[in-house]
Amino acid sequence: MTRTRAVAAAAALVLAAGCSSEGSSPDGSPDPEPSRTPTSSTSAPTTDPAKPAVVLRGYPGSSCQTRGGMVVEVGSMRVTRPVTLEKAGLVGDVNVVHGAPSVVARPDRGPDWSGSYPGPQPSPRSRRDLGWDQRKPLAGAQLEPGRYYFFLPLRVRPPSAHFDALQVTWSEGDVPGVDEAERVSDFKDSCR
């Protein structure tokens, strides 16, 4: 009786191994695991709606700048799912007038950077490094997964100005979203 059970078990094992299609295709090549999705270096493998589709890079802390007039704020963001951008702005701003924001795919050599540039546009070298000449209006821009810069031109009013964070809103179909990046900034005649 023991030998009969052993033969039956061996036959069942051989039959199960020969008929199983898990992990292979009809031509014998391995199939990808059904829970994994191929990704590229510019896309993120997340489909979790609880995670934001747009993530801004924040810089906790505060800065004081001795400049007024025109300033271009540059923000860095990662897009994990296709979205349509709605607007970009500031949180907690005082004595600041916003211009029309724009967005560009971050060049391959571009750093994950955010900051301020004095004047109406960055320097020639920074314009090249940031992809400034390829930017497009942010409102209504349809973005695929990847990394991007956004630009927010500002007019800083004297005698002082302030903001707490950068903010971007978007929609993913009918679902709205918003993310903020802390960057407490003061603009004064003197930072002493």
Side-chain angles (χ1 to χ4, degrees):
M1 197 73 158
T2 304
R3 186 171 195 265
T4 304
R5 284 187 186 164
V7 170
L13 184 60
V14 169
L15 182 60
C19 296
S20 174
S21 63
E22 185 175 299
S24 64
S25 63
D27 67 359
S29 62
D31 281 339
E33 293 181 31
S35 63
R36 292 189 183 173
T37 305
T39 60
S40 70
S41 62
T42 60
S43 66
T46 181
T47 56
D48 183 357
K51 294 182 180 177
V54 176
V55 179
L56 304 185
R57 176 163 181 164
Y59 289 86
S62 63
S63 70
C64 179
Q65 302 175 50
T66 56
R67 62 176 77 137
M70 293 296 299
V71 176
V72 176
E73 288 295 322
V74 180
S76 179
M77 66 181 164
R78 181 173 42 92
V79 175
T80 61
R81 298 187 298 274
V83 296
T84 300
L85 297 181
E86 304 295 333
K87 62 183 179 176
L90 302 174
V91 177
D93 53 316
V94 177
N95 284 337
V96 178
V97 178
H98 304 212
S102 56
V103 65
V104 67
R106 193 169 87 196
D108 291 338
R109 68 188 180 285
D112 188 8
W113 183 85
S114 289
S116 296
Y117 286 100
Q121 61 185 3
S123 68
R125 180 177 179 188
S126 295
R127 287 197 314 265
R128 184 181 61 248
D129 291 346
L130 296 168
W132 175 265
D133 293 335
Q134 287 76 43
R135 71 194 192 287
K136 59 185 176 181
L138 183 137
Q142 296 180 351
L143 302 185
E144 293 298 319
R147 296 185 183 275
Y148 296 85
Y149 291 126
F150 64 97
F151 306 99
L152 185 57
L154 307 174
R155 178 166 297 281
V156 177
R157 293 183 174 169
S160 65
H162 172 86
F163 67 86
D164 295 320
L166 300 174
Q167 183 181 69
V168 171
T169 61
W170 69 89
S171 61
E172 205 177 351
D174 294 336
V175 180
V178 63
D179 195 37
E180 295 179 2
E182 180 182 344
R183 190 156 90 217
V184 179
S185 296
D186 288 297
F187 300 89
K188 301 178 180 180
D189 291 335
S190 174
C191 289
R192 291 187 234 181

